[in-house]
Amino acid sequence: MKRHFSGVILSCYMVSLLLLFQNCKEKALTSINDDSRNPASISDNAGSVRAASANNELAVELHKRLAGATPNLDDPILTDMENLISQGQLEEAALVATHQPSFYSITLRDFAVKMTNKEQSVSFPLNDLAATIIGGVRDDINATEFFTGNFFYKGNASSGAPQDLKNDIILSNNHYESLDNSGANLMEVLERVNGQQVVNPQGNLVALADSGGILTSRAFMAAHADAGTNRRIIEYSFKVFLCKPMDEWANSSNPDNRVGRDVGRFPQADYLAKCKGCHTGMDALRPATAHFDFFDGGIRYKYSYPMDPNPNDPSQLNIPVASAEQDVPYKFRRASDNFPQGFAVTDDNWSNYASDEIFGFRTPSSGQGMADLARLVAYSEQFSRCMVQRVFKSVCRRDSAKEEKYLIERLAQDFERDYNLRHLFVNVALQPECTGVHL
Amino acid sequence: MKKNLTHLFIFGFSVLFLNACGGFKSLGTNLLESLGEAEVSSTKVVAVVSQNQILTNYQSCLKLPADKISSQSRNALNDSIKSLPPEGEVEAISAPMLMAVTKVVAEVCNDLINYEKTLSTDRTYFKDFNLTGTASGKAVSNASLEEETLSSVDLAMIELSRACWGRTMTADELNILRGALNKDASLQTANRDAALLSCTAVLASSQAIRF
């Protein structure tokens, strides 16, 4: 069927909608009883606008919020949920909705995909990071393990997605895009693979020696380690998983002994006013990424860089690199003339100058590599608050308000009992602040 | 086909007119901001179907097997995906958005009809329909609602509302849809065109896309 949508039709829609909303308040609704498939039961009843019982209504609402799809009124799952609600087992009723395929393919997919790109948008393909979160929730994995664990999820052989580990998963997103495009049932096809891998200089797959869980996933590195200076990895680790954009944790009173050479210090007033606040915290953590780069479609770890590109002809690699810095990509030395006395990254030992008061860190203030950085993130109090905020947005379709700070805090404390994201989704969905229903 | 398309839009208008009246109560960042911080407690925020949600939602509510969603439906979604709100924001409701929904829904309805056509006895929605294309089957009813003689088309629309609205269609709503259907003699039999138009009208309505 070929369809043409003319401007006239478009105009009609606009006019219709205007009329529609103007006339809304005057409209009297009639009702049909719930068993109205029996034609005899259809009757006008101006006093009622509800077709279903309160339990039915709540079951439908929970299903829509959690499973992301309107349930068919004849679906036995809805009956199960209603029965559980009538017995006062609200959590169990909500849990039923989280075992529907659409909970994984809609609600969790969008929740996870938003964390994988700079735009924090759902309009990106599925990838290894998102699949790992979706699979991990299905398997009720402790959410801190997404950072401290060394594993990822992919579609199994029956998913129909291309299975070449190196070319379809490590060096491209083909595998996950195929899962997305085919509408695969993510609840069924995802399988856990232990051990993250990267390609070595010889082109062979090797184990990643410094796994930071989803922080060292291909998707996260593709978004934040491709080109640039690797500062974006730090910025977005905090922005995405701790819900703190740079301007909320910048602090000019921190020492700047770790600020890189590419950050000019003059004019000093400009440096102090515009640069220092962000760079003190970010650059002190940046060495965690010292051995990582992303190019030609994949993560590169601890490659040797004996020569840097010639600034006058970047195609020529003929600038010798000091031996102490040869494990570190050129991106750490770019524009180092701006302030040669600045901090030179030579290894992956990092320090954390970010505020304990804001983040509630529970791990040491220094560490080595992405594995320690991932632990810093996952075990912080702010990580729990951030997950609550993200789930709240996903289920309640709005950001939590400032006045709901204590609700977020309470939900975060509940979340820390088991760090189970499925339970967090259920807990949030049952809040009257979310559904408007006082249970 | 062009004529049918026109009907389809008329139906869409009708049901949209009807359903939004029960609908969006609050919402919208601007509104929340204008009301200040004290407004939001215990407020259900209504959203609409999102880009990633639309096909899965209809497949789920219609209980349509996943492999019955055709490539035409996926193509219709891909063609109009930019008109659909990424996260179901109510602020994104616009004429192009509603037209995009209608376009996708028409294809999903086509899939549903093709699927039900293969079921000779256990059809859920289009019982007693002749889905092969030529006109026959039971005529559209003009009976009053009190009578027990609802037509196949009436029953199909009621069943579709139970599937994808999360509630049963009201008598007013049914009457409006009937009125639109009765305007065209060719649609007064329970044939494929009537199935397509009634299905599209119900599934493209604001009640069906509201979350």
Side-chain angles (χ1 to χ4, degrees):
Chain A
M1 261 195 304
K2 205 168 184 178
R3 296 183 170 81
H4 301 284
F5 299 106
S6 70
V8 175
I9 290 173
L10 193 144
S11 303
C12 287
Y13 253 106
M14 295 296 283
V15 173
S16 302
L17 283 171
L18 284 172
L19 288 170
L20 158 73
F21 286 105
Q22 277 180 348
N23 292 329
C24 275
K25 288 179 184 172
E26 296 169 10
K27 182 176 177 297
L29 293 175
T30 58
S31 74
I32 292 178
N33 294 328
D34 196 29
D35 59 347
S36 61
R37 276 173 303 166
N38 173 359
S41 70
I42 298 180
S43 63
D44 288 323
N45 179 357
S48 172
V49 294
R50 290 190 175 185
S53 68
N55 289 349
N56 171 270
E57 200 173 316
L58 180 56
V60 169
E61 189 64 28
L62 287 174
H63 195 284
K64 287 170 91 168
R65 297 279 163 166
L66 290 167
T70 307
N72 187 307
L73 288 186
D74 300 322
D75 195 328
I77 287 160
L78 199 63
T79 311
D80 291 347
M81 291 176 71
E82 284 177 54
N83 289 339
L84 288 165
I85 291 168
S86 67
Q87 294 161 23
Q89 299 180 52
L90 299 178
E91 283 186 34
E92 287 76 5
L95 277 170
V96 170
T98 69
H99 289 288
Q100 302 310 303
S102 56
F103 173 66
Y104 299 91
S105 58
I106 296 175
T107 309
L108 271 180
R109 183 204 176 280
D110 285 358
F111 168 79
V113 166
K114 278 177 80 172
M115 295 193 267
T116 67
N117 57 79
K118 278 182 280 185
E119 293 79 4
Q120 298 201 60
S121 162
V122 301
S123 306
F124 278 77
L126 186 73
N127 52 53
D128 59 341
L129 195 168
T132 298
I133 290 177
I134 296 166
V137 172
R138 181 199 61 189
D139 295 344
D140 289 318
I141 283 175
N142 181 309
T144 59
E145 286 184 42
F146 290 131
F147 297 83
T148 61
N150 181 7
F151 61 88
F152 64 98
Y153 276 75
K154 69 174 191 64
N156 60 24
S158 65
S159 67
Q163 295 285 338
D164 184 325
L165 184 61
K166 179 180 167 185
N167 293 311
D168 297 322
I169 296 176
I170 306 292
L171 292 179
S172 80
N173 198 39
N174 291 344
H175 174 83
Y176 298 98
E177 287 184 31
S178 171
L179 287 176
D180 229 7
N181 295 336
S182 67
N185 181 343
L186 299 178
M187 184 174 82
E188 285 183 0
V189 303
L190 291 179
E191 64 179 12
R192 176 175 167 145
V193 179
N194 287 320
Q196 292 184 331
Q197 297 184 64
V198 289
V199 172
N200 69 10
Q202 289 73 44
N204 301 316
L205 288 180
V206 293
L208 175 58
D210 181 23
S211 167
I214 54 179
L215 292 189
T216 51
S217 62
R218 181 185 178 278
F220 198 73
M221 285 291 171
H224 308 303
D226 188 8
T229 60
N230 276 6
R231 289 186 177 93
R232 211 163 63 231
I233 298 174
I234 305 302
E235 180 189 357
Y236 276 82
S237 294
F238 278 45
K239 185 174 183 177
V240 172
F241 301 110
L242 300 178
C243 299
K244 289 290 175 190
M246 192 70 244
D247 59 332
E248 290 186 27
W249 60 285
N251 186 347
S252 296
S253 65
N254 284 331
D256 60 0
N257 60 327
R258 290 270 182 159
V259 175
R261 293 169 292 189
D262 55 338
V263 181
R265 280 19 174 216
F266 302 103
Q268 197 166 32
D270 281 357
Y271 167 71
L272 292 174
K274 296 175 184 172
C275 310
K276 187 185 172 190
C278 295
H279 279 284
T280 53
M282 202 161 43
D283 285 24
L285 288 165
R286 184 171 68 138
T289 70
H291 298 316
F292 283 86
D293 203 352
F294 187 96
F295 54 83
D296 293 341
I299 297 171
R300 313 293 153 155
Y301 177 74
K302 217 167 187 177
Y303 274 31
S304 179
Y305 304 91
M307 294 287 179
D308 276 347
N310 190 319
N312 299 321
D313 181 5
S315 66
Q316 299 293 315
L317 289 173
N318 56 12
I319 305 296
V321 178
S323 58
E325 295 184 49
Q326 289 188 1
D327 284 345
V328 178
Y330 168 63
K331 59 172 69 174
F332 285 82
R333 292 181 291 278
R334 187 183 288 125
S336 56
D337 290 347
N338 286 350
F339 189 69
Q341 299 84 357
F343 184 73
V345 176
T346 58
D347 58 35
D348 58 0
N349 288 301
W350 51 262
S351 298
N352 179 26
Y353 295 159
S355 166
D356 261 341
E357 202 174 315
I358 296 172
F359 294 101
F361 292 119
R362 293 157 167 155
T363 50
S365 59
S366 62
Q368 185 175 15
M370 291 299 287
D372 284 349
L373 180 74
R375 271 189 283 277
L376 180 85
V377 170
Y379 292 130
S380 68
E381 292 171 14
Q382 183 59 22
F383 170 66
S384 305
R385 288 190 287 264
C386 182
M387 288 301 105
V388 171
Q389 287 171 327
R390 285 190 169 278
V391 171
F392 193 96
K393 168 79 173 172
S394 174
V395 176
C396 313
R397 305 294 189 111
R398 67 173 173 88
D399 290 314
S400 58
K402 284 180 187 170
E403 67 159 5
E404 292 167 327
K405 180 182 168 189
Y406 296 105
L407 170 68
I408 299 301
E409 198 65 46
R410 178 170 59 76
L411 290 168
Q413 286 172 8
D414 289 347
F415 175 56
E416 290 193 356
R417 285 184 198 156
D418 58 5
Y419 282 102
N420 184 305
L421 277 171
R422 182 198 306 279
H423 294 163
L424 179 58
F425 270 89
V426 164
N427 204 2
V428 168
L430 292 173
Q431 300 304 312
E433 291 84 352
C434 185
T435 57
V437 179
H438 287 276
L439 306 169
Chain B
M1 196 54 73
K2 205 168 181 181
K3 191 178 177 185
N4 286 347
L5 189 64
T6 308
H7 282 291
L8 191 146
F9 280 112
I10 291 168
F11 274 15
F13 295 153
S14 305
V15 179
L16 281 166
F17 269 131
L18 192 67
N19 278 289
C21 299
F24 314 123
K25 285 180 183 171
S26 77
L27 355 183
T29 310
N30 293 338
L31 177 58
L32 291 180
E33 283 171 358
S34 70
L35 293 171
E37 289 178 15
E39 194 272 337
V40 292
S41 290
S42 302
T43 299
K44 173 186 169 185
V45 173
V46 179
V48 292
V49 71
S50 68
Q51 289 173 357
N52 297 329
Q53 203 173 19
I54 187 163
L55 276 184
T56 310
N57 178 51
Y58 287 123
Q59 183 214 322
S60 166
C61 67
L62 294 168
K63 290 196 156 297
L64 192 59
D67 62 351
K68 302 301 176 193
I69 297 289
S70 65
S71 57
Q72 285 91 336
S73 291
R74 295 190 191 286
N75 290 341
L77 174 59
N78 290 335
D79 289 347
S80 49
I81 200 158
K82 287 184 178 170
S83 301
L84 296 169
E87 297 185 65
E89 307 87 338
V90 167
E91 301 92 316
I93 292 179
S94 64
M97 179 260 180
L98 294 171
M99 289 164 71
V101 168
T102 308
K103 187 175 177 183
V104 174
V105 162
E107 293 295 354
V108 171
C109 285
N110 208 34
D111 294 343
L112 179 66
I113 290 165
N114 288 337
Y115 175 58
E116 290 239 314
K117 196 167 70 174
T118 65
L119 308 173
S120 53
T121 54
D122 294 328
R123 289 180 184 171
T124 306
Y125 305 102
F126 304 115
K127 293 170 184 162
D128 211 16
F129 270 65
N130 178 355
L131 297 175
T132 55
T134 52
S136 68
K138 193 182 285 185
V140 170
S141 172
N142 289 316
S144 71
L145 290 173
E146 287 72 26
E147 292 180 39
E148 295 185 19
T149 53
L150 293 177
S151 72
S152 302
V153 177
D154 290 339
L155 291 172
M157 291 191 291
I158 291 169
E159 200 63 48
L160 285 162
S161 74
R162 288 180 58 79
C164 295
W165 287 9
R167 66 174 177 81
T168 308
M169 183 178 286
T170 67
D172 275 355
E173 289 162 340
L174 182 60
N175 269 334
I176 287 177
L177 289 170
R178 273 174 164 182
L181 206 63
N182 281 334
K183 284 177 184 166
D184 191 322
S186 70
L187 298 173
Q188 290 180 25
T189 51
N191 58 22
R192 188 183 177 96
D193 288 346
L196 180 63
L197 293 172
S198 55
C199 173
T200 306
V202 174
L203 299 194
S205 68
S206 63
Q207 191 64 44
I209 64 171
R210 173 183 166 183
F211 273 82

